[in-house]
Amino acid sequence: MTAKPPRRLFRSLLYTGTAAVIGGGALYISYRPRNIPGSDPAAVPPPTLGKDGTVAPPRFPLAKSRAEQIADLKASVGLRKSNETSKGPLAALIGRSDTSNTSEEVVGEEPYDLLVIGGGATGTGIALDAVTRGLKVAVVERDDFSSGTSSKSTKLVHGGVRYLEKAVWDLDYNQYKLVKEALRERKYFLDTAPHLSMWLPIMLPVQKWWQAPYFWLGTKAYDFLAGSEGIESSYFLTKSKALEAFPMLKKDHIVGALVYYDGAHNDSRMNVSLAMTAALYGSTVVNHIEVTGLEKDSSGCLCGARVRDLVETRNGKRAEDFTIKARGIINATGPFTDAIRKMDDQTVDEIVAPSSGVHVILPGYYSPANMGLIDPKTSDGRVIFFLPWQGNTIAGTTDAPTKISQNPIAGEDEINWILSEIRGYLAPDINVRRGDVLAAWSGIRPLVRDPHAKNTESLVRNHLITTSDSGLITCAGGKWTTYRQMAEETVDEAIKLYGLRPGLVTQVPRISGSEMIDDTAPLDGTCQTHQVRLIGAHGYSKTLFINLIQHFGVETDVAKHLVESYGDRAWTVAALSSPTDKRFPVRGIRISELYPFVDGEVRYAVRHEYAQTAVDVLARRTRLAFLNAQAALEALPSIIDLMAEELQWDRKRKDVEWKDTVQFLASMGLAKSKLNVTRKDVENGKAGEYDEHERKLYSRHG
């Protein structure tokens, strides 16, 4: 009898201790210290002052010029003598002799190991992966880097809470894997490009009490699934705290909110950084090069492509086709995937099911500066995001079948649907007007069907990698967050298929430009892109903008913008900015009074980022066209003049740039009456005039 009380006491202590350990562990996992990228002091030493008082910025390595890159493409042809003595994996696949894997005596330049067609996130990601494995790789893009879908995303780096919900309710393991993979890639994204990406809290309003535990469990499951790759933990807000954090919300029918964390980024600048990092590592990277045909050898295997330089056409010259030789060709052209596949084989079935995603840009006062919002179930069951971005507010997206075009235009029905959904969440005293839409665009999401699946009508939820009989590898589908994983799997397939031999990279560029930093990944022939930091990341710090202000005298919002867009290369951009002849700011002439973009960015884009057209600068190097179509039109004269100085454009080329850029701005939401506006009209201040119909539609007054 005397033994029972101690046993019960021991059992109680055991249960209490176990609960304390589990609870303490859960609290630690939820609130453990996070290593925030960019929180350390800037590692790149600041500029030095010369004897004459001039500021000398840090010296960074330079990529080859565009002309040198094109020369390398042309040199890939070489003179080859073939000794067909072996068969590689490609030969086994198609049942033919694999001349791309034969023993050859090469006179002159070697052909490329890989030629990548497409300069979006996937294509440039493949190029960076391949070149850091020691392969010789080239990537060509018909338009500009990120000119298509990659610049028209929702700007999120996310695993997808809605996909996790589907995985649970549908017991869908593939959906679960998609979320798990994306959460891992989200962490790599934030680590390799901390200046271009950020943590973003996103509010999930709770409109009924029963939703609170449901949303809480969902967001906590999202946190748990991220594991060690997680960022901040989700948390609950009472009604008063939710309205304090997001005062624009409608006060009725809200009982609180859940806040979870995902990532946000500057998509086109990320894409350009991928391209330039690949170029610094030795890849040949060229934009405005159009593929006009594919080359095959005598056994029917692909061995190269015919291309032409479209910049020559813009300069009024006749562009001659030339050939690029490569052992393997990868098709990474997004919505235009089937066009390249049909160059290879006219009889193939199309695999892309294009879907239109429309986004609108509203003034920044529609959302808090550092918190977004998600409506998990709109009037028609879709999801809509409402996020701060570049000082404005982005809202979207729609999801509807569409036709493939170069620059799709957002329809008024889709714009009005987004505005209608926004009105349902915002306070009734906030009048959401059509005239508040500063820009609107449509991006084409390339959903894909598996040509080898039994049901060829069903769409692939993730990305698809497929190979044709002649050896064309196609990578399609997926999303921005998983670009790196897509690239890794594609290069793995290419190495296997073409019998390539990756190896140790011995000539590693010191991208930071400083001996003080040596954080290069061990480039041993395996995939290391999860730790290869992109250009600008090495010397980035959240306090770097202060040094920029002190050394160059730029305005505070300009300095922050430069650091968040270029990382440590902000030193170079600031040095390229013109003196203002004012006491302050000392440097940096704005190209638009409404936004922190300065003239040094245009010069940097041309000299260091292969910008060749005014659209390249307005849309992809700066984001002015995406933020405000009217402001982009008003900035166009100065952009053309700055680029003309750098690239020696004549009057005819300037006229071409004006016409083409105004037409492009139509796809950014510019009013139709502006499509025939002249440069003189803009310079005389007449660009803001509207006809009667458009005055009612676009007016921001009254």
Side-chain angles (χ1 to χ4, degrees):
M1 296 295 292
T2 57
K4 289 184 179 180
R7 186 179 299 171
R8 282 200 293 268
L9 178 62
F10 176 75
R11 189 179 301 159
S12 299
L13 290 173
L14 179 63
Y15 291 160
T16 303
T18 302
V21 170
I22 294 173
L27 284 172
Y28 176 78
I29 291 172
S30 297
Y31 300 104
R32 69 190 184 279
R34 262 72 165 189
N35 180 25
I36 303 174
S39 58
D40 296 328
V44 174
T48 56
L49 287 174
K51 293 181 179 179
D52 58 353
T54 57
V55 179
R59 292 182 177 272
F60 297 110
L62 301 177
K64 290 183 178 181
S65 69
R66 186 173 184 275
E68 291 172 322
Q69 299 274 35
I70 291 176
D72 287 346
L73 291 178
K74 293 179 178 179
S76 68
V77 176
L79 299 173
R80 295 184 290 168
K81 295 180 180 179
S82 178
N83 300 310
E84 299 183 13
T85 57
S86 64
K87 288 189 176 183
L90 181 59
L93 173 73
I94 64 177
R96 303 182 186 130
S97 173
D98 178 11
T99 59
S100 66
N101 203 43
T102 58
S103 173
E104 295 178 328
E105 179 184 349
V106 181
V107 181
E109 290 288 335
E110 284 272 2
Y112 288 99
D113 291 318
L114 294 173
L115 171 62
V116 184
I117 305 173
T122 306
T124 53
I126 291 170
L128 180 60
D129 188 302
V131 75
T132 53
R133 298 201 207 189
L135 299 176
K136 185 178 180 182
V137 58
V139 56
V140 294
E141 162 61 44
R142 177 180 62 180
D143 196 334
D144 184 30
F145 311 120
S146 198
S147 59
T149 307
S150 296
S151 63
K152 298 175 180 179
S153 71
T154 310
K155 323 304 178 192
L156 284 176
V157 186
H158 64 134
V161 288
R162 55 178 174 163
Y163 299 130
L164 179 59
E165 183 181 34
K166 290 179 181 179
V168 172
W169 285 111
D170 298 342
L171 298 178
D172 190 332
Y173 181 68
N174 289 326
Q175 288 278 10
Y176 167 82
K177 280 201 324 184
L178 175 63
V179 177
K180 183 69 175 174
E181 175 186 290
L183 288 171
R184 182 186 68 247
E185 293 301 318
R186 181 186 68 177
K187 181 64 164 56
Y188 295 153
F189 212 113
L190 297 171
D191 287 344
T192 57
H195 56 303
L196 294 171
S197 50
M198 57 178 283
W199 299 357
L200 181 67
I202 300 176
M203 181 181 289
L204 187 59
V206 177
Q207 296 182 317
K208 297 179 181 178
W209 278 113
W210 65 264
Q211 292 179 329
Y214 179 73
F215 289 164
W216 185 87
L217 284 171
T219 55
K220 287 302 176 185
Y222 195 61
D223 295 343
F224 178 78
L225 196 58
S228 60
E229 281 88 25
I231 40 181
E232 288 288 352
S233 296
S234 57
Y235 57 91
F236 178 78
L237 288 177
T238 63
K239 178 178 180 178
S240 60
K241 289 294 183 182
L243 292 173
E244 181 183 353
F246 212 117
M248 307 82 177
L249 281 180
K250 185 183 292 184
K251 297 176 178 58
D252 300 335
H253 309 300
I254 181 171
V255 297
L258 265 298
V259 177
Y260 72 96
Y261 282 79
D262 254 327
H265 75 136
N266 188 337
D267 51 8
S268 73
R269 286 225 49 85
M270 179 74 180
N271 200 155
V272 171
S273 296
L274 283 168
M276 297 315 303
T277 305
L280 285 173
Y281 274 99
S283 174
T284 303
V285 179
V286 193
N287 55 353
H288 299 286
I289 293 284
E290 181 182 26
V291 173
T292 59
L294 300 178
E295 296 278 326
K296 296 182 181 180
D297 60 22
S298 58
S299 61
C301 297
L302 287 173
C303 61
R306 297 185 304 280
V307 301
R308 71 165 63 107
D309 183 3
L310 297 182
V311 172
E312 292 296 308
T313 305
R314 298 182 73 84
N315 286 329
K317 300 177 182 178
R318 185 166 178 263
E320 298 287 344
D321 284 15
F322 63 92
T323 300
I324 305 170
K325 288 294 183 182
R327 295 183 174 90
I329 298 179
I330 297 175
N331 174 16
T333 52
F336 305 97
T337 291
D338 288 322
I340 300 299
R341 293 177 69 243
K342 287 182 180 295
M343 281 187 186
D344 174 44
D345 181 0
Q346 283 288 340
T347 64
V348 296
D349 294 329
E350 295 185 354
I351 62 172
V352 173
S355 175
S356 170
V358 170
H359 295 83
V360 301
I361 289 288
L362 298 166
Y365 53 72
Y366 272 101
S367 66
N370 296 305
M371 181 174 285
L373 181 141
I374 179 176
D375 180 355
K377 195 168 185 179
T378 59
S379 58
D380 61 358
R382 290 182 281 185
V383 171
I384 193 169
F385 286 97
F386 194 61
L387 310 168
W389 184 66
Q390 300 285 306
N392 283 355
T393 300
I394 183 173
T397 176
T398 62
D399 185 8
T402 188
K403 293 182 179 180
I404 296 174
S405 60
Q406 187 75 11
N407 293 307
I409 295 177
E412 280 297 320
D413 290 345
E414 295 164 301
I415 293 172
N416 288 326
W417 177 82
I418 293 174
L419 296 180
S420 175
E421 295 300 323
I422 292 171
R423 291 187 189 104
Y425 262 89
L426 299 186
D429 60 316
I430 299 177
N431 182 17
V432 184
R433 304 168 299 182
R434 174 61 177 84
D436 288 333
V437 176
L438 304 176
W441 70 85
S442 172
I444 301 177
R445 184 184 178 194
L447 304 175
V448 291
R449 308 179 186 92
D450 187 347
H452 303 299
K454 292 181 179 179
N455 180 8
T456 57
E457 291 302 313
S458 61
L459 299 176
V460 176
R461 292 188 180 95
N462 205 342
H463 59 276
L464 173 71
I465 299 173
T466 185
T467 306
S468 73
D469 290 343
S470 61
L472 175 68
I473 294 178
T474 294
C475 180
K479 60 180 182 177
W480 237 119
T481 308
T482 58
Y483 85 89
R484 195 209 64 83
Q485 179 69 26
M486 294 165 63
E488 179 181 351
E489 292 178 14
T490 303
V491 176
D492 287 345
E493 178 66 19
I495 290 171
K496 177 182 174 183
L497 182 67
Y498 305 129
L500 304 178
R501 295 182 179 179
L504 182 68
V505 179
T506 55
Q507 300 296 321
V508 180
R510 193 167 290 278
I511 294 180
S512 68
S514 171
E515 297 291 333
M516 297 174 62
I517 303 175
D518 186 16
D519 65 345
T520 53
L523 306 182
D524 56 3
T526 62
C527 177
Q528 295 294 326
T529 48
H530 61 287
Q531 51 185 336
V532 172
R533 307 190 81 189
L534 300 189
I535 183 172
H538 299 77
Y540 166 73
S541 166
K542 290 182 180 295
T543 58
L544 181 60
F545 75 96
I546 298 173
N547 292 334
L548 214 62
I549 296 170
Q550 292 174 337
H551 283 84
F552 286 103
V554 296
E555 294 175 274
T556 301
D557 61 334
V558 171
K560 288 183 176 180
H561 154 69
L562 293 181
V563 169
E564 291 168 0
S565 298
Y566 301 91
D568 57 31
R569 265 44 175 193
W571 291 118
T572 306
V573 179
L576 291 173
S577 299
S578 298
T580 62
D581 298 326
K582 298 177 183 178
R583 186 170 177 225
F584 191 84
V586 179
R587 282 181 179 268
I589 298 174
R590 295 184 185 236
I591 60 177
S592 170
E593 292 299 321
L594 301 174
Y595 297 92
F597 306 117
V598 293
D599 60 330
E601 295 181 74
V602 182
R603 298 186 183 95
Y604 184 85
V606 173
R607 298 182 192 182
H608 301 289
E609 293 183 337
Y610 301 142
Q612 295 295 308
T613 71
V615 173
D616 293 352
V617 171
L618 278 172
R620 271 89 62 173
R621 304 311 185 279
T622 71
R623 306 310 307 273
L624 186 55
F626 280 82
L627 291 169
N628 192 320
Q630 180 69 27
L633 176 65
E634 293 166 0
L636 184 54
S638 61
I639 297 292
I640 290 177
D641 288 345
L642 285 167
M643 296 189 73
E645 291 176 12
E646 295 290 323
L647 297 169
Q648 288 80 52
W649 288 347
D650 58 19
R651 173 64 63 182
K652 289 183 178 179
R653 176 63 191 272
K654 284 185 174 184
D655 291 341
V656 168
E657 289 302 315
W658 181 269
K659 180 180 177 182
D660 289 356
T661 306
V662 172
Q663 291 299 315
F664 170 80
L665 289 176
S667 69
M668 292 287 107
L670 187 68
K672 291 181 180 179
S673 64
K674 300 294 189 296
L675 300 185
N676 295 317
V677 72
T678 65
R679 174 170 177 155
K680 188 175 181 180
D681 291 336
V682 172
E683 291 174 335
N684 291 336
K686 296 181 179 180
E689 297 179 357
Y690 294 93
D691 61 32
E692 187 61 29
H693 171 71
E694 289 177 340
R695 187 176 294 110
K696 294 178 181 178
L697 191 64
Y698 295 103
S699 174
R700 296 180 178 86
H701 307 285

